[in-house]
Amino acid sequence: MIARLKPGIDALDKQAKALLLDEVKSQSGRISAKLEAAGAPPELVAKVVRLFEMDGAVGLAELGVRKGIDETVLTRAFTHLGQALGLDWAQSTAARITTGDPWERLLIAGLARDFQQLRLEFLSRSGGKDPQAAVETWLEANRARVDQFANLVRRARQVAVPNAAMLAQIAGQARVLLGRE
């Protein structure tokens, strides 16, 4: 598996800064600042931030190998879909929520994975070698539902303290929306 996925992960690693969208860059900055304020050594801070930024690379590299599509092209489609629907915000918000309840922590971690997996599954189902075009075509064909979903996310973004219930509702609605062909 390592030999199979390493080239794709390495390619994404080299281009990570160019591929990251503002939501992820902001979260990286927050993670870095929090760790630095806690006194973590700069080398460790850099490694932790890099792990966060590379989150999802394994799934994208695996999908690229399976579909025979460049992982960078897949990543651009993945992030475009996430940005268009607000799933990048939802995933980033899940990463920021802290709770003392272990069950709620498990729920939030599962939701963060869902926001990635939903997009990977969608891209896996899209035909052809141009996932960016497939995303754009799907967004246009489902414009009314996409706008309705984007409004749900916009309302959630206005809440002062997002919570697991809100993210679970967004994930459920995203699952229904992205399940439509």
Side-chain angles (χ1 to χ4, degrees):
M1 184 189 308
I2 292 172
R4 186 171 165 250
L5 299 181
K6 187 175 182 344
I9 293 170
D10 287 347
L12 290 174
D13 187 40
K14 287 180 186 140
Q15 298 180 55
K17 293 293 183 198
L19 293 169
L20 294 177
L21 297 179
D22 291 340
E23 195 72 47
V24 176
K25 288 178 185 176
S26 295
Q27 182 65 11
S28 291
R30 287 188 289 271
I31 291 168
S32 181
K34 188 174 183 176
L35 290 172
E36 288 170 1
E43 324 69 64
L44 181 59
V45 171
K47 286 180 182 180
V48 169
V49 167
R50 195 65 176 156
L51 282 173
F52 172 76
E53 291 174 348
M54 291 298 292
D55 186 31
V58 171
L60 288 161
E62 191 280 328
L63 182 58
V65 168
R66 192 163 27 100
K67 291 197 62 126
I69 300 174
D70 179 84
E71 56 283 326
T72 304
V73 173
L74 278 169
T75 301
R76 291 189 198 291
F78 179 91
T79 55
H80 178 55
L81 183 61
Q83 192 171 40
L85 297 178
L87 297 179
D88 287 339
W89 170 82
Q91 185 173 341
S92 178
T93 299
R96 287 193 310 268
I97 293 177
T98 56
T99 178
D101 183 330
W103 292 105
E104 193 171 2
R105 278 196 308 269
L106 288 171
L107 172 63
I108 292 166
L111 291 169
R113 282 189 307 276
D114 280 352
F115 292 127
Q116 277 189 7
Q117 194 61 38
L118 288 166
R119 291 183 276 173
L120 289 171
E121 289 170 6
F122 175 87
L123 292 171
S124 179
R125 289 190 317 268
S126 65
K129 296 289 183 189
D130 189 351
Q132 293 172 325
V135 167
E136 204 50 53
T137 299
W138 181 86
L139 287 170
E140 283 306 314
N142 293 280
R143 179 58 49 206
R145 286 186 171 99
V146 166
D147 288 346
Q148 185 179 18
F149 181 81
N151 284 332
L152 171 74
V153 174
R154 251 190 300 286
R155 286 193 317 271
R157 288 180 84 137
Q158 294 172 355
V159 172
V161 183
N163 59 50
M166 174 189 304
L167 294 177
Q169 180 63 25
I170 290 170
Q173 293 296 316
R175 194 170 292 107
V176 170
L177 176 64
L178 290 170
R180 298 180 187 273
E181 293 298 324

